C-alpha cells in the first residue's frame, strides 16, 4: 500500500512538472492560446483593480506619507492639530486635485508638442515578485492603445506600453531595470542611451566623447522609427553627476528622472506624434526666483518749532 | 484530495489571487513589498501532504503565471511552485520542529519565499530575461523575504484556519 501511494505521488509530480514544462515550451514557441489566456485574465482582473484603486486611494496616500515621515516631521506635527473630519476631507480633495493637476500638466505637455494622446488612470502598481517595475492603466485597445507606445506623466516620460488588453494596458516604467531609451541632450544634441536602475536615478551612457556632458543638462527622448516605442522630444530627466574617469571609453552620467513614479495617478499614452519634431520645445522652464520686494522708508524730520 | 475539497479550495485560491492583484499590488512598499498569494500557497503546502502540496503549487503557480506583473514565460512560476510546494511539504511533514511551531513555520515559509525568488531569477536568466544589476536583485529578494518574515505570523492563523476548513470537511461528513 505504502509503495503504491509513493508511486502515485511520484507519478502525479511527474505529470505536473511535465505539464509545466509543456506550457513553457508552448509559450516560448509563441503559441497564441496561452497569450490570449493571459490577456483574458487581465481583462477579468482590470475591473477589480479599478475598484481596488478607487477604494484604496486614501490608504495609498497614507502609506506614501509614512515613507516621508522623517522629512515631513514638522508638517505632521502641524497636521495633528487638525480634526479628523478635516483630514479626511483634505485627503479626498488632495487626491482629486493631484489627479486634476497631473492631467492638466500632461495636456499642456502633449499640446505643446502636438501629440495625439489618450488619458488613463493608474489602476494598479505591478508586484515586485517578478523583479519588474510596471503599472496597469485603465486604457486598452478599445481606446486606441497599442503595444510599444510612449507613456507620459505630468513631468515627462513615464514609460512604454509593454502589453495591451481590451480595457487596460501594462506599462513598463522608466525605472525598470530592463528599460532603455535613446536620448539627446537639449542644446548640444549629443546622443546617448539611458537605462533604468530601479530607482528614480537612471544611468546615462553617451555614444561618443567628443563633447562634455554637464550637471544640469536636460535629456529629451530621441524618438524611434514610426514613433514607436518613443516619440521625439519628451523630457526624460536631468544630469546630476558625471563620471569623467579616464579609463571609460564613453562618458557616463547619473540622471534624475523628471517623473515622480511613486505619485503616478494619471498618465497619457501617445497615440500619434506630429510630422515635425518638437525639438527642444518641451524643455522644462527653470523656476524663476520670486523677487523679494524691498521697502524703503524715508523719514523726514519734522521741523523744529522756532520761537 | 477529494473533489469536494478541490471545490472548496479552488475559490479560496482564486479569492486570494484576486486580493493580491486588486489590493496588495496597489501599494508600492519599500523593498519590493510582499506577495500574499505566494505566502498563502506556501503555507497551504506546508500544512498539506506532498501530493496535495504539489497540486496546490501547480494551481498557485499557474495563477501567478497569468499575473500582469509576471515577465517570464507561462509555466515558469508553475514549475517553480510545484517544486517549492512539494519541497516544503516533504521537508515540513517530517520535521515537527519546523512545521509544528509558529516560529518554525514562519522561518520555513520565509526560507521557501527566498529560495523560490532566487530560483525564479536563475531560471529567468536561463530563459534570457533581463533584470538589471545584481545589487537591485539582491535588495528586492531581501526585501520580499523580510516582508514575508513580518507578514507570515500575522496571516498564518487565517491561512491555517482556511486549510483546516477545507480538509476537516471530509471528516465532518
Amino acid at each position: 500500500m505504502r509503495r503504491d501511494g509513493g508511486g502515485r505521488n511520484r507519478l502525479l509530480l511527474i505529470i505536473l512538472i511535465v505539464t509545466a514544462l509543456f506550457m513553457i515550451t508552448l509559450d516560448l514557441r509563441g503559441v497564441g492560446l496561452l497569450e490570449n489566456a493571459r490577456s483574458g485574465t487581465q481583462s477579468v482582473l482590470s475591473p477589480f483593480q479599478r475598484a481596488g484603486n478607487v477604494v484604496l486611494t486614501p490608504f495609498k496616500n497614507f502609506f506614501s506619507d509614512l515613507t516621508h515621515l522623517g522629512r515631513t516631521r514638522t508638517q505632521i506635527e502641524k497636521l495633528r492639530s487638525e480634526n479628523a473630519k478635516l483630514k479626511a476631507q483634505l485627503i479626498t480633495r488632495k487626491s482629486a486635485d493631484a489627479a486634476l493637476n497631473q492631467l492638466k500638466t500632461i495636456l499642456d505637455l502633449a499640446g505643446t508638442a502636438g501629440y495625439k494622446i489618450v488619458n488613463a488612470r493608474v489602476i494598479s502598481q505591478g508586484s515586485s515578485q517578478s523583479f519588474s517595475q510596471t503599472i496597469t492603466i485603465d486604457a486598452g485597445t478599445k481606446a486606441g492603445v497599442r503595444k510599444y507606445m510612449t507613456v507620459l506623466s505630468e513631468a515627462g516620460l513615464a514609460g512604454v506600453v509593454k502589453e495591451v488588453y481590451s480595457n487596460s494596458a501594462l506599462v513598463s516604467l522608466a525605472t525598470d531595470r530592463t528599460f532603455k531609451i535613446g536620448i539627446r541632450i537639449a542644446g548640444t544634441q549629443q546622443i546617448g542611451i539611458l537605462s533604468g536602475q530601479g530607482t528614480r536615478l537612471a544611468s546615462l551612457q553617451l555614444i561618443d566623447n567628443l563633447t562634455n556632458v554637464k550637471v544640469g543638462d536636460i535629456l529629451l527622448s530621441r524618438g524611434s522609427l514610426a514613433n514607436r516605442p518613443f516619440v521625439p522630444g519628451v523630457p526624460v530627466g536631468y544630469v546630476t553627476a558625471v563620471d569623467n574617469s579616464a579609463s571609460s571609453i564613453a562618458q557616463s552620467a547619473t540622471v534624475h528622472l523628471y517623473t515622480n513614479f511613486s505619485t503616478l495617478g494619471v498618465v497619457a499614452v501617445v497615440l500619434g506624434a506630429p510630422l515635425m519634431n518638437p525639438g527642444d520645445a518641451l524643455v522644462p522652464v527653470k523656476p524663476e526666483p520670486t523677487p523679494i520686494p524691498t521697502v524703503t522708508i524715508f523719514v523726514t524730520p519734522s521741523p523744529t518749532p522756532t520761537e | 484530495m477529494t473533489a469536494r475539497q478541490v471545490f472548496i479550495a479552488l475559490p479560496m485560491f482564486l479569492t486570494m489571487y484576486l486580493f493580491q492583484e486588486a489590493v496588495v499590488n496597489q501599494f508600492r512598499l519599500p523593498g519590493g513589498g510582499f506577495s500574499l498569494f505566494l505566502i498563502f500557497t506556501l503555507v497551504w503546502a506546508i500544512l498539506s501532504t506532498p501530493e496535495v502540496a504539489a497540486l496546490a503549487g501547480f494551481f498557485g503557480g499557474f495563477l501567478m503565471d497569468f499575473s500582469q506583473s509576471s515577465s517570464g514565460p507561462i509555466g515558469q512560476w508553475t514549475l517553480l511552485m510545484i517544486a517549492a510546494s512539494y519541497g516544503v511539504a516533504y521537508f515540513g511533514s517530517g520535521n515537527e520542529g519546523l512545521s509544528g511551531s509558529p516560529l518554525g513555520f514562519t522561518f520555513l515559509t520565509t526560507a521557501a519565499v527566498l529560495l523560490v525568488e532566487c530560483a525564479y531569477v536563475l531560471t529567468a536568466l536561463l530563459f534570457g530575461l533581463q533584470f538589471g544589476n545584481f545589487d537591485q536583485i539582491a535588495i528586492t529578494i531581501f526585501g520580499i523575504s523580510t516582508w514575508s518574515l513580518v507578514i507570515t505570523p500575522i496571516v498564518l492563523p487565517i491561512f491555517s484556519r482556511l486549510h483546516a476548513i477545507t480538509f476537516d470537511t471530509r471528516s465532518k461528513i
Side-chain angles (χ1 to χ4, degrees):
Chain A
M1 284 294 280
R2 199 174 164 188
R3 193 178 294 165
D4 285 350
R8 199 180 62 185
N9 282 356
R10 268 195 295 277
L11 183 65
L12 175 75
L13 194 64
I14 289 165
I15 289 169
L16 293 177
I17 288 171
V18 168
T19 311
L21 289 170
F22 183 64
M23 286 195 300
I24 292 171
T25 312
L26 286 181
D27 194 47
L28 290 176
R29 280 174 173 269
V31 175
L33 186 72
L34 291 175
E35 203 52 50
N36 291 343
R38 192 177 256 176
S39 170
T41 311
Q42 187 49 38
S43 298
V44 172
L45 284 173
S46 61
F48 292 100
Q49 288 174 330
R50 207 170 287 138
N53 180 54
V54 171
V55 174
L56 295 170
T57 299
F59 298 99
K60 282 159 79 175
N61 289 343
F62 171 73
F63 278 111
S64 174
D65 288 346
L66 269 185
T67 54
H68 296 94
L69 198 63
R71 275 173 275 170
T72 56
R73 193 178 292 274
T74 321
Q75 285 180 340
I76 290 167
E77 288 299 325
K78 283 180 187 173
L79 282 169
R80 273 183 186 161
S81 62
E82 293 181 10
N83 65 50
K85 192 181 173 183
L86 278 173
K87 268 193 211 170
Q89 282 177 350
L90 189 65
I91 288 167
T92 315
R93 179 68 193 267
K94 263 169 78 179
S95 177
D97 282 353
L100 191 68
N101 283 336
Q102 284 183 348
L103 188 63
K104 198 179 157 199
T105 323
I106 290 171
L107 287 173
D108 286 347
L109 189 76
T112 310
Y115 298 140
K116 188 185 171 193
I117 59 161
V118 61
N119 295 310
R121 283 178 68 89
V122 177
I123 57 171
S124 177
Q125 311 267 358
S127 165
S128 298
Q129 76 189 12
S130 299
F131 303 93
S132 59
Q133 297 207 358
T134 55
I135 53 168
T136 307
I137 57 172
D138 68 350
T141 48
K142 283 182 182 171
V145 177
R146 298 287 179 269
K147 215 168 171 180
Y148 307 127
M149 281 182 164
T150 311
V151 180
L152 302 178
S153 72
E154 56 180 329
L157 184 81
V160 66
V161 177
K162 192 178 173 187
E163 295 292 340
V164 63
Y165 313 102
S166 57
N167 289 313
S168 62
L170 182 71
V171 176
S172 179
L173 295 177
T175 51
D176 190 276
R177 289 179 280 272
T178 59
F179 187 90
K180 286 196 186 338
I181 178 174
I183 57 89
R184 64 180 176 81
I185 297 171
T188 66
Q189 306 301 316
Q190 198 178 4
I191 58 172
I193 295 165
L194 188 88
S195 309
Q197 296 290 307
T199 64
R200 208 173 162 185
L201 292 177
S203 164
L204 170 67
Q205 191 78 47
L206 291 171
I207 302 295
D208 60 49
N209 254 342
L210 296 177
T211 49
N212 282 326
V213 60
K214 303 185 297 294
V215 170
D217 277 350
I218 290 166
L219 311 182
L220 302 168
S221 65
R222 195 152 50 89
S224 314
L225 198 66
N227 294 320
R228 280 164 77 178
F230 300 109
V231 290
V234 179
V236 178
Y238 60 91
V239 176
T240 54
V242 180
D243 178 17
N244 280 323
S245 56
S247 58
S248 57
I249 298 165
Q251 270 192 318
S252 60
T254 305
V255 173
H256 187 268
L257 300 170
Y258 280 126
T259 301
N260 185 356
F261 295 90
S262 59
T263 58
L264 275 182
V266 179
V267 292
V269 183
V270 181
L271 303 181
L275 293 173
M276 288 283 288
N277 188 329
D280 293 355
L282 299 181
V283 170
V285 182
K286 282 184 181 172
E288 287 180 13
T290 317
I292 302 162
T294 51
V295 179
T296 313
I297 301 168
F298 297 97
V299 181
T300 312
S302 57
T304 48
T306 51
E307 290 184 13
Chain B
M1 198 173 181
T2 63
R4 193 180 185 86
Q5 286 166 344
V6 171
F7 281 115
I8 297 170
L10 214 62
M12 288 181 187
F13 271 78
L14 288 173
T15 309
M16 203 53 68
Y17 177 70
L18 202 63
F19 187 75
Q20 170 70 36
E21 293 292 317
V23 178
V24 181
N25 283 358
Q26 298 283 343
F27 299 99
R28 193 169 285 283
L29 297 166
F34 59 92
S35 172
L36 197 67
F37 185 71
L38 178 63
I39 296 170
F40 175 73
T41 311
L42 289 169
V43 166
W44 193 279
I46 298 169
L47 290 167
S48 307
T49 61
E51 182 191 17
V52 175
L55 273 172
F58 177 83
F59 189 63
F62 186 72
L63 289 176
M64 286 163 78
D65 272 324
F66 286 97
S67 167
Q68 45 97 14
S69 56
S70 176
S71 48
I74 290 171
Q76 190 187 357
W77 272 117
T78 311
L79 184 67
L80 291 174
M81 288 305 289
I82 294 167
S85 300
Y86 188 85
V88 290
Y90 187 81
F91 194 59
S93 61
N95 196 334
E96 280 300 308
L98 280 176
S99 61
S101 72
L103 196 66
F105 213 103
T106 303
F107 279 109
L108 187 59
T109 311
T110 306
V113 168
L114 179 71
L115 287 175
V116 83
E117 289 289 347
C118 290
Y120 182 84
V121 173
L122 290 174
T123 49
L125 290 174
L126 290 175
F127 289 130
L129 297 177
Q130 289 183 331
F131 288 132
N133 60 30
F134 176 79
D135 295 353
Q136 287 297 331
I137 294 171
I139 289 166
T140 309
I141 291 176
F142 179 75
I144 291 172
S145 305
T146 310
W147 272 109
S148 301
L149 196 66
V150 175
I151 294 293
T152 307
I154 300 166
V155 295
L156 186 59
I158 305 162
F159 290 172
S160 57
R161 179 83 186 136
L162 289 174
H163 185 271
I165 290 167
T166 308
F167 288 91
D168 283 353
T169 312
R170 194 178 167 192
S171 59
K172 277 176 189 169
I173 290 165

